[in-house]
Amino acid sequence: MRSYDADSILWNWARWCASGESVGNMEHVVPFEDEYRPINVDQAVAVERLHKTLPHHEQMVVIAEYPQRNGLFAGLQAKQRREKAQRWIKSVTGVWLREHEYKLYVGLFRDLIWREVA
């Protein structure tokens, strides 16, 4: 029996995305209240490979929900995060996603991760 789900695999990938060397005088920050979790690099690389196969606007949806959720979209509730991400995606790609499309892309990628990576 697996003790993780697709969401935990995607959060592992998000930690991996942020795990590189700090640049310049930037200090790597890990909040004291965060529980340390080791990164499963093999899973993260598999997620990255699948993420790169997505169209750009779909990649950005996944980025908004995982690697940038606590960065660019910090402190926002789900609806606010989605609306801000929709504007961000439109400004970068020219594609406007409706609410159901946004949610569908997150769910489809999560399902793909569960099938292909878990």
Side-chain angles (χ1 to χ4, degrees), residues 6-26:
D7 203 48
S8 62
I9 294 169
L10 286 162
W11 282 114
N12 175 73
W13 171 67
R15 288 192 310 278
W16 177 79
C17 289
S19 69
E21 290 292 320
S22 299
V23 295
N25 64 355
M26 308 245 345

Side-chain angles (χ1 to χ4, degrees), residues 29-77:
V29 176
V30 177
F32 291 108
E33 66 272 5
D34 279 357
E35 175 186 330
Y36 173 75
R37 293 184 183 154
I39 296 171
N40 181 324
V41 176
D42 292 339
Q43 276 186 344
V45 169
V47 171
E48 180 72 6
R49 179 181 49 79
L50 291 169
H51 183 253
K52 287 184 178 199
T53 68
L54 299 175
H56 192 202
H57 61 281
E58 291 181 39
Q59 288 177 0
M60 292 179 74
V61 168
V62 175
I63 290 167
E65 290 298 315
Y66 291 94
Q68 283 297 323
R69 183 182 207 151
N70 297 316
L72 184 59
F73 302 98
L76 300 176
Q77 296 297 320

Side-chain angles (χ1 to χ4, degrees), residues 84-98:
K84 184 175 180 180
Q86 286 171 290
R87 292 188 301 273
W88 177 55
I89 293 164
K90 171 73 172 169
S91 72
V92 172
T93 68
V95 175
W96 178 258
L97 298 173
R98 292 176 294 214

